[in-house]
Amino acid sequence: MINQKQLERILPKVEKPARYTGGEINSVVKQEAKVRLAFAFPDLYEIAMSHMGGHILYQLINEEEGLACERVFSPWTDMEAIMRKEGMPLFSLETKRTLKEFDFVGFTLQYEMSFTNILNMLDLGGLEVRREDRLESDPLVIAGGPCVYNPEPLADFIDLFVVGDGEDITLEIMRRYEKGNFSSKKEFLQSLLSLEGIYVPEFYEVDYKEDGTIQSRRALVAEAPLVVQRTILKNLDEVYFPEKMIVPFIDTVHDRVMLELFRGCTRGCRFCQAGMIYRPVRERKKDTLVQLAEKLEASTGYEELSLSSLSSSDYTEIEPLINELTEKFAEKRVSLSLPSMRLDTFPKELLKKMQEVRKSGLTFAPEAGSQRLRDVINKGITEDDVIKTTEELFQMGWSTVKLYFMIGLPTETEEDVMGIKDLSYQVKEKFFQIPREERKGNLRINVSAACFVPKPFTPFQWFGQPTMDEFKEKQVMLKKSIRDPKVSFSTHDAATSYIEAVIAKGDRRMGKAIETAWRNGCVFDGWGQFFKLNNWLTAFEEVGLDPVFYANRTRDFDEILPWDFLRVGVTKEFLWREYQRALNETITPDCRNNCEACGVIETYGKGVCQ
């Protein structure tokens, strides 16, 4: 454990000391435990504490006898500077143990641009960053989360990846470790290979062709499966969900109770990785959710309850659920929010009822400016949906709307890009068509256009991302054309999205570039003030990798992709079929209306997606 007095002396010197103290309401301190896991989030406290998956695993493990879960987050740069100067290793918030004192350090991988922070945290914790250099007495470093659907860029650093729903498998790993029936870490890892969802990179080797593409993958031990199948929890209603959550002392990004309605999505948006890798849809029952909501409100005192899922308005009992929750929480003035709403389906009167307690701005995601491009990405909404919905909301009293778009999508033309401006201006006109005496508030339309990053296990995984210069041309085009005081326009940094694409589609060789970039000073790459493009480009050059090969190259169907060895449910053939339909501007209907044979039923059993 670190020196508590030393910590107390340091904290007044840094911004927001509460990031490092622990002791929040509903946090758990277990001085005695047989197996300890440090839940590691490679970003700032305020981001980490807004992650629902972390809250679930934290409470789940700590409710188990003999097991303990503590939190470790990336310290902000001011804190890290002092820690390194004074020789203080990275420590957990609960018992102030250092990383070396844990049995497991478990990272959640939410964003490729946080990968250098993983190396930084290991190093600050006194651990070697490369798995082959760590000692037998060091903790096992494991990882889960959406970025493990291409684990190869981190294969040099992580001992064990968990692919899929993490609740049961994490407990299984810790319980097996508790039994201690192994003589070495390698033997323990080998014993896990029979479990669904387990990928141990040291038991595999990859061969490459002269052109840089993958030749083959080989298993180095007999127990290592050539295909690793994602693990899923089929009956979500019976899956653990915490009845309490930690309440931070300081504001966080999502400062509210988060309640998970369901996992999966049937919409089939072709750019959306989550919509593909979390299939099939699995819902919690309404009564279960109501009971959880009451317990969570009582244990936290939060005044806002967020109903979270990929497309919350698609929950089959959304209307009775909201009606019941609004009635139960009316006196306590607890408001409800839906972080992801579709423009075509959500009952507007229900939205009005939800926000009787507290009215906030609304965010909608048309994603593309033209109908042609929305069909390419299979968004499943029309221009009429956007216009009619915002018009109704303006009539109901809303005056602030955020519209989220992407640029750089497959087949995009100049006309599609300018469609972002045209659609935003049409929304503005609808507000001013309302008679002046009936308008409420001061109109504000915030338009955001992100640079598209093609991700593994999507129909666009073969698509080559536009170059940084092409992104910048489109951004300049929009900035010059959107000149209206009622419409603000913002974009994402093209260079950051470029490096994100390089890593997202990287293979095992990418690990050398990540490590070199980190040693060259790259940390907090997702934060604009710290992102150093030149350091990344230098790192690629030093290790002999061409980033264009990874980000901008369009692949063929026959090419072995770095993540092809994972079986997640949707098949490569289905994704390719969807890619071809995209190029032909053909829509694929919602899975609830017509099964498209994506492969999920064949993988996980008949009926599980219905």
Side-chain angles (χ1 to χ4, degrees):
M1 295 182 192
I2 61 166
N3 185 321
Q4 186 68 34
K5 289 186 178 178
Q6 184 185 21
L7 177 63
E8 291 171 1
R9 180 171 52 76
I10 288 174
L11 287 181
K13 301 176 183 178
V14 301
E15 180 186 355
K16 297 185 180 180
R19 290 169 174 163
Y20 315 105
T21 60
E24 308 97 318
I25 295 170
N26 295 330
S27 60
V28 180
V29 177
K30 280 188 171 181
Q31 294 297 349
E32 301 297 328
K34 294 177 180 175
V35 182
R36 289 185 184 275
L37 181 144
F39 177 80
F41 196 102
D43 212 316
L44 197 61
Y45 177 94
E46 290 92 320
I47 311 290
M49 291 307 296
S50 302
H51 176 238
M52 183 169 60
H55 285 280
I56 295 173
L57 278 179
Y58 180 84
Q59 300 293 351
L60 169 70
I61 295 170
N62 281 323
E63 287 185 21
E64 293 285 316
E65 188 176 350
L67 307 184
C69 180
E70 305 186 27
R71 295 164 294 155
V72 182
F73 306 142
S74 288
W76 194 233
T77 52
D78 59 346
M79 182 67 172
E80 180 186 342
I82 296 177
M83 290 170 69
R84 290 194 182 277
K85 182 181 178 182
E86 301 217 2
M88 174 182 284
L90 187 60
F91 57 90
S92 68
L93 299 186
E94 279 73 13
T95 63
K96 307 299 183 288
R97 282 177 165 81
T98 68
L99 291 193
K100 275 180 168 287
E101 296 176 85
F102 284 86
D103 302 297
F104 296 94
V105 177
F107 285 96
T108 180
L109 310 182
Q110 299 293 316
Y111 182 33
E112 290 83 357
M113 300 309 289
S114 69
F115 283 4
T116 54
N117 277 18
I118 294 173
L119 275 58
N120 203 46
M121 289 175 70
L122 292 173
D123 179 68
L124 192 57
L127 298 171
E128 296 289 342
V129 297
R130 301 182 73 84
R131 56 176 165 74
E132 63 189 19
D133 296 332
R134 288 194 286 268
L135 303 174
E136 192 66 29
S137 59
D138 288 334
L140 283 162
V141 179
I142 66 177
C147 290
V148 302
Y149 288 83
N150 178 15
E152 292 298 78
L154 291 177
D156 291 341
F157 317 112
I158 304 295
D159 295 304
L160 163 71
F161 291 94
V162 173
V163 184
D165 297 325
E167 290 95 330
D168 287 359
I169 190 70
T170 302
L171 290 183
E172 176 68 18
I173 292 169
M174 295 180 75
R175 287 298 184 201
R176 288 195 178 202
Y177 190 88
E178 181 185 10
K179 291 178 180 175
N181 299 327
F182 54 90
S183 59
S184 66
K185 287 201 293 189
K186 185 170 184 175
E187 185 180 327
F188 175 69
L189 291 171
Q190 205 160 339
S191 73
L192 299 177
L193 291 173
S194 60
L195 297 176
E196 207 168 67
I198 295 296
Y199 172 53
V200 182
E202 74 170 89
F203 296 134
Y204 299 86
E205 274 191 0
V206 181
D207 300 314
Y208 298 91
K209 299 178 183 176
E210 287 188 5
D211 64 3
T213 59
I214 294 174
Q215 174 72 46
S216 61
R217 287 177 56 87
R218 289 178 289 121
L220 302 179
V221 296
E223 298 89 339
L226 288 175
V227 175
V228 175
Q229 182 162 317
R230 159 190 167 228
T231 181
I232 75 163
L233 300 168
K234 292 184 179 179
N235 187 346
L236 198 67
D237 197 57
E238 295 179 356
V239 172
Y240 174 87
F241 195 84
E243 296 177 357
K244 56 184 179 181
M245 289 183 177
I246 296 173
V247 183
F249 292 132
I250 57 177
D251 289 341
T252 60
V253 174
H254 299 305
D255 210 10
R256 57 204 179 207
V257 167
M258 291 170 280
L259 187 61
E260 183 187 38
L261 306 186
F262 63 93
R263 294 180 191 175
C265 181
T266 60
R267 294 289 181 168
C269 298
R270 293 172 177 137
F271 59 87
C272 180
Q273 185 191 46
M276 297 292 166
I277 61 176
Y278 293 140
R279 293 184 180 198
V281 167
R282 293 151 289 158
E283 292 188 344
R284 286 192 166 87
K285 294 177 182 174
K286 175 179 71 66
D287 291 346
T288 305
L289 291 167
V290 171
Q291 289 173 16
L292 284 169
E294 289 181 299
K295 290 175 180 174
L296 283 163
E297 187 277 331
S299 65
T300 63
Y302 273 121
E303 295 177 340
E304 182 178 351
L305 176 66
S306 174
L307 305 177
S308 301
S309 285
L310 287 176
S311 179
S312 299
S313 51
D314 283 341
Y315 178 62
T316 52
E317 294 187 272
I318 189 67
E319 193 161 346
L321 174 66
I322 289 176
N323 284 333
E324 191 164 343
L325 290 176
T326 49
E327 286 176 14
K328 284 187 179 294
F329 292 135
E331 285 189 12
K332 294 183 177 180
R333 304 289 293 170
V334 175
S335 65
L336 304 180
S337 64
L338 284 173
S340 51
M341 289 184 289
R342 285 186 63 87
L343 284 155
D344 54 338
T345 58
F346 196 75
K348 311 306 176 300
E349 286 302 322
L350 204 56
L351 181 62
K352 186 177 181 180
K353 186 173 184 178
M354 279 174 55
Q355 304 230 350
E356 283 175 352
V357 175
R358 193 176 301 113
K359 181 173 286 183
S360 58
L362 296 170
T363 299
F364 295 109
E367 313 287 5
S370 72
Q371 190 57 49
R372 187 198 72 80
L373 198 54
R374 282 193 291 277
D375 290 346
V376 167
I377 64 176
N378 207 45
K379 181 62 182 176
I381 61 169
T382 65
E383 184 173 298
D384 203 38
D385 292 326
V386 179
I387 300 301
K388 276 191 172 178
T389 297
T390 50
E391 181 182 17
E392 288 175 26
L393 293 171
F394 290 152
Q395 289 170 344
M396 290 163 63
W398 269 271
S399 59
T400 300
V401 175
K402 182 174 182 180
L403 299 176
Y404 179 84
F405 297 91
M406 289 182 285
I407 56 174
L409 291 160
T411 78
E412 186 178 68
T413 65
E414 185 175 318
E415 188 177 354
D416 296 321
V417 175
M418 293 308 295
I420 293 174
K421 174 220 169 185
D422 296 341
L423 188 58
S424 304
Y425 275 39
Q426 286 185 64
V427 170
K428 182 199 75 172
E429 287 169 10
K430 284 297 174 187
F431 182 84
F432 289 107
Q433 286 174 4
I434 298 173
R436 180 184 293 271
E437 63 276 12
E438 296 178 18
R439 293 179 210 152
K440 294 178 182 175
N442 187 21
L443 178 66
R444 192 69 198 161
I445 301 175
N446 300 312
V447 179
S448 168
C451 298
F452 174 60
V453 178
K455 292 292 178 81
F457 289 108
T458 68
F460 295 153
Q461 64 181 357
W462 292 278
F463 174 67
Q465 188 190 49
T467 65
M468 283 190 286
D469 286 343
E470 289 170 334
F471 273 132
K472 289 173 184 174
E473 285 176 15
K474 294 172 182 181
Q475 290 172 339
V476 169
M477 192 190 312
L478 283 169
K479 284 178 181 175
K480 284 183 177 178
S481 66
I482 297 178
R483 299 280 187 182
D484 191 301
K486 297 296 182 185
V487 183
S488 68
F489 177 67
S490 63
T491 61
H492 288 193
D493 179 46
T496 306
S497 299
Y498 173 57
I499 300 301
E500 181 185 348
V502 174
I503 299 172
K505 298 174 85 171
D507 51 40
R508 278 198 174 198
R509 296 168 293 188
M510 190 58 60
K512 292 179 181 175
I514 293 171
E515 182 177 353
T516 303
W518 167 66
R519 294 193 186 282
N520 288 347
C522 291
V523 290
F524 284 108
D525 295 296
W527 295 69
Q529 66 269 43
F530 297 119
F531 177 68
K532 302 179 180 75
L533 175 63
N534 287 337
N535 291 29
W536 273 102
L537 297 179
T538 300
F540 292 130
E541 190 173 348
E542 287 181 19
V543 303
L545 291 182
D546 178 7
V548 172
F549 174 83
Y550 294 97
N552 306 122
R553 182 173 60 89
T554 295
R555 277 82 165 162
D556 295 326
F557 176 77
D558 293 331
E559 179 175 334
I560 298 175
L561 304 174
W563 50 90
D564 271 354
F565 68 96
L566 297 179
R567 189 182 185 194
V568 303
V570 295
T571 63
K572 192 173 181 179
E573 289 74 18
F574 166 76
L575 295 174
W576 179 258
R577 196 163 68 238
E578 280 296 289
Y579 185 37
Q580 299 310 305
R581 290 170 76 97
L583 298 179
N584 292 322
E585 302 172 18
T586 303
I587 292 174
T588 297
D590 189 316
C591 292
R592 288 171 297 188
N593 302 324
N594 184 46
C595 177
E596 293 295 329
C598 69
V600 164
I601 288 180
E602 290 74 12
T603 305
Y604 295 110
K606 187 177 179 181
V608 291
C609 67
Q610 296 172 353

